[in-house]
């Protein structure tokens, strides 16, 4: 799982760097959850790592001045839990 926030913040519109970050995790096929302080995306390790690389590169190219993220390993849930 990766949790991330891109800056600078805009209160009126979604900045290009935020759109690029969201597109990177969406197109990687990750399960995305948008929260008030950031976005989280969950999937297989290879998917997450590939998405993080793309997220960093494309968000910076789109004007991000800072990207904060945390990568966590989430143990497999027992069958039937969270589905």
């Amino acid at each position: 799982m990766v949790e991330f926030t891109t800056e600078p913040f805009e209160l009126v519109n979604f900045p290009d760097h935020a759109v690029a970050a969201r597109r990177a995790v969406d197109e990687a096929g990750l399960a995305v959850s948008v929260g008030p302080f950031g976005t989280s995306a969950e999937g297989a390790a290879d998917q997450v790592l590939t998405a993080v690389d793309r997220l960093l590169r494309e968000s910076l190219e789109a004007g991000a001045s800072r990207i904060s993220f945390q990568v966590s390993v989430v143990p497999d849930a027992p069958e039937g839990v969270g589905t």
Side-chain angles (χ1 to χ4, degrees), residues 39-72:
T39 301
S40 63
E42 191 170 337
D46 285 341
Q47 283 179 292
V48 171
L49 293 173
T50 299
V52 166
D53 178 70
R54 181 176 171 195
L55 183 157
L56 291 170
R57 291 175 191 276
E58 294 183 8
S59 295
L60 291 169
E61 288 174 4
S65 59
R66 179 182 183 133
I67 303 168
S68 303
F69 68 96
Q70 177 174 316
V71 177
S72 303

Side-chain angles (χ1 to χ4, degrees), residues 5-7 13 16-17 19 24-25 27 33-34 36 41 44-45 49 51 53 60 66-68 70 73-74:
T5 303
T6 62
E7 297 177 37
N13 297 310
D16 291 342
H17 56 81
V19 172
V25 294
E27 291 180 2
S33 177
V34 178
L49 293 173
D53 178 70
L60 291 169
R66 179 182 183 133
I67 303 168
S68 303
Q70 177 174 316
V73 175
V74 179

